[in-house]
Amino acid sequence: MTAFLRFMKDESGATAIEYGLIAAGISVAIIAVVQGMGSKLKTSFTSVQNALN
């Protein structure tokens, strides 16, 4: 029983988990921005291509 209580009070891995969650959140934000820019760039390149034809 004391081992279980010691395990429940141990917070040594909490920081690593928090950093992992922060990294995952930043990754999701980057992916969302890149996808949004990708569609705008495609539209721009398509209009340039049509203008050159």
Side-chain angles (χ1 to χ4, degrees), residues 1-3 6-7 9-11 15-19 23 26-28 30-31 37-38 44 46-50 52-53:
M1 187 65 173
T2 58
R6 221 176 333 142
F7 175 74
K9 291 181 181 180
D10 186 17
E11 295 182 4
T15 303
I17 292 171
E18 291 168 356
Y19 283 131
I26 291 171
S27 298
V28 168
I30 290 172
I31 290 170
M37 285 179 30
S44 297
T46 302
S47 65
V48 169
Q49 180 183 10
N50 291 336
L52 291 175
N53 288 334

Side-chain angles (χ1 to χ4, degrees), residues 26-45:
I26 291 171
S27 298
V28 168
I30 290 172
I31 290 170
V33 168
V34 168
Q35 283 182 342
M37 285 179 30
S39 62
K40 289 181 183 180
L41 282 175
K42 183 177 180 182
T43 304
S44 297
F45 282 125

